[in-house]
Amino acid sequence: MDPKVTEGGLNVTLTIRLLMHGKEVGSIIGKKGETVKKMREESGARINISEGNCPERIVTITGPTDAIFKAFAMIAFKFEEDIDNSMSNSTATSKPPVTLRLVVPASQCGSLIGKGGSKIKEIRESTGAQVQVAGDMLPNSTERAVTISGMPDAIIQCVKQICVVMLEVEYKSPPKGATIPYRPKPASAPVIFAGGQVRADPLSASAANLSLLLQHQPLPAYTIQGQYAIPHPDQLTKLHQLAMQHTPFTPLGQTTPGFPGLDANPPASTHELTIPNDLIGCIIGRQGSKINEIRQMSGAQIKIANAAEGSTERQITITGSPANISLAQYLINAR
């Protein structure tokens, strides 16, 4: 590891993003904004907190490497102080670790993990912090959460090493195509139904369609994550059955079952998604195995446009009933 980088000797400006719950954000802001003001002044880093009434908020820290490390140190020690205060009022005997969640472009996560997990193992062993890279991307983004936990000093050393990896990736092999940043969504997005039609922006279409389905047949055991209603694994079968009942296209070898109170063949609608080129392979699968599986499970027609010259994205067109589109979107996002 280059000592110049960790000590802020390089004239490099970095931007690091953290994902925090509302209570954590409140702790960082402090009474009348005094805590975050002090952090900005003492670290020299720019610290911005995303707006909005969301369960999660993004805290963006920008500045030279040394300023970023000072800001991280102040945040880590503030969280430890919060833990100490909460323990003084509880009967717990073991002190929980400080935990921070970084938001990192998926294109950089491979370098952070290393071949066969070698890099992440090295970071864990040399810093004493626990580091976990999420397997799935955060909703509607090309970013992953990287969770760091441990004592404040271990977390600071860990962040330094992660910054080194990110700088090396940017310098040696800048990511192809734009990163789609994660933006937390309100806990309950407004959904307007007019004449049975779901009217929502593309990002909330999945939740809106699921809401429409749930009006007709309640499906228990859903977890709301941002604007997504994520079914638990044992509920996917029920959602699949419901999509089959709503499908305007009869899959080969099947008859369309009737559904009380609904047209057996509701009119088809169309929804479009754009997916970065470097992710399309995950959705298509080997020899088209995954996309065919999604088509079969959802009952939707799914077309993937050819890559336009110079474009970093591919367009996916999903056609079917709201139930089909909803399940297809969920399965594509899950990929």
Side-chain angles (χ1 to χ4, degrees), residues 182-259:
Y182 173 57
R183 291 187 176 90
K185 297 294 178 187
S188 54
V191 178
I192 303 165
F193 297 99
Q197 295 298 309
V198 177
R199 296 190 182 279
D201 63 84
L203 297 185
S204 66
S206 179
N209 288 339
L210 280 170
S211 301
L212 182 61
L213 293 184
L214 299 180
Q215 286 183 338
H216 299 302
Q217 179 171 318
L219 296 180
Y222 270 75
T223 306
I224 301 300
Q225 293 180 1
Q227 287 185 331
Y228 284 89
I230 306 297
H232 290 286
D234 58 345
Q235 295 301 313
L236 269 177
T237 307
K238 290 182 183 177
L239 185 55
H240 167 61
Q241 289 167 351
L242 192 56
M244 291 300 101
Q245 288 170 326
H246 283 249
T247 184
F249 310 106
T250 306
L252 289 174
Q254 290 187 24
T255 56
T256 307
F259 194 73

